[in-house]
Amino acid sequence: MDNDKSVYHISNSLKDKLVLFLPVLWIAMIVFVYMDLGFVGMYLTIIHGMINVILGLAEGEKINKKLSWIFVVGWGILMFVAITGMIYYYYYFGNNIPSFTIMGMHPSAFYFYAICWIGNLVYLGGFLYIFKDTWLPEKKWNDFVDYAASLNNDADSQSQTSETIEEDN
């Protein structure tokens, strides 16, 4: 095992356990909704998303530290703030008209729309763009393009072979 300080090491065994934990989280989310605890289930969606990002960032048994901090921890904090703010103001005002609005919205709706939706899009899109050379270096992209072209060439040669066979019959 190398001593590269820019990566975390994750075993295939741990990745397998994380994959098996995903349906457990789905079931727990559904159970919380039926138990009238849907807001608690929303926090489980954050954990679910974080696990998916960990699995997606893994290359073999390595995960880039910088990307994991930004896309797992940073994103998790953003979503935790969004859901907590939404839940807080939902319970704070209850069925009453709020005494103030944020950008013309109910404070709970602001946390949901502005932070959970738009903030999520801007955060992920912005950091994917900023770190594009980290998560998809030029060499890796060129290798993929060459691979895709080879598949296309293989498909073309197979279709030409099948056309030749049909003409012979």
Side-chain angles (χ1 to χ4, degrees):
M1 195 181 300
D2 60 284
N3 290 329
D4 190 357
K5 301 243 188 269
S6 67
V7 297
Y8 292 118
H9 294 277
I10 181 170
S11 69
N12 286 326
S13 171
L14 178 58
K15 288 193 296 189
D16 291 343
K17 290 174 186 170
L18 289 174
V19 168
L20 292 173
F21 188 58
L22 291 174
V24 173
L25 284 171
W26 271 111
I27 292 167
M29 286 182 248
I30 293 167
V31 168
F32 278 130
V33 168
Y34 281 111
M35 293 173 52
D36 215 14
L37 298 168
F39 285 139
V40 176
M42 293 178 81
Y43 288 109
L44 296 180
T45 64
I46 298 170
I47 296 167
H48 195 278
M50 292 169 79
I51 290 171
N52 279 299
V53 172
I54 289 168
L55 294 169
L57 287 175
E59 293 186 48
E61 293 190 352
K62 296 178 182 179
I63 299 175
N64 183 293
K65 282 184 181 181
K66 187 187 317 181
L67 295 179
S68 66
W69 277 97
I70 291 168
F71 293 112
V72 178
V73 178
W75 177 82
I77 291 169
L78 178 70
M79 291 298 99
F80 183 83
V81 167
I83 290 173
T84 301
M86 182 186 68
I87 293 169
Y88 172 79
Y89 283 113
Y90 173 82
Y91 284 120
Y92 182 79
F93 290 113
N95 290 329
N96 301 320
I97 296 173
S99 56
F100 66 93
T101 61
I102 303 174
M103 296 177 63
M105 290 183 269
H106 187 289
S108 180
F110 171 79
Y111 276 92
F112 182 67
Y113 293 118
I115 298 176
C116 195
W117 278 15
I118 297 171
N120 185 27
L121 178 68
V122 171
Y123 183 88
L124 292 176
F127 279 117
L128 282 170
Y129 178 76
I130 290 168
F131 292 104
K132 66 182 179 288
D133 294 330
T134 304
W135 63 269
L136 187 57
E138 191 71 28
K139 182 187 179 327
K140 193 184 268 187
W141 174 251
N142 291 336
D143 291 346
F144 170 75
V145 170
D146 293 342
Y147 172 72
S150 74
L151 292 176
N152 193 27
N153 292 338
D154 290 345
D156 288 344
S157 67
Q158 286 179 353
S159 68
Q160 288 174 356
T161 304
S162 65
E163 288 173 4
T164 306
I165 292 170
E166 288 175 5
E167 289 175 2
D168 291 342
N169 290 334

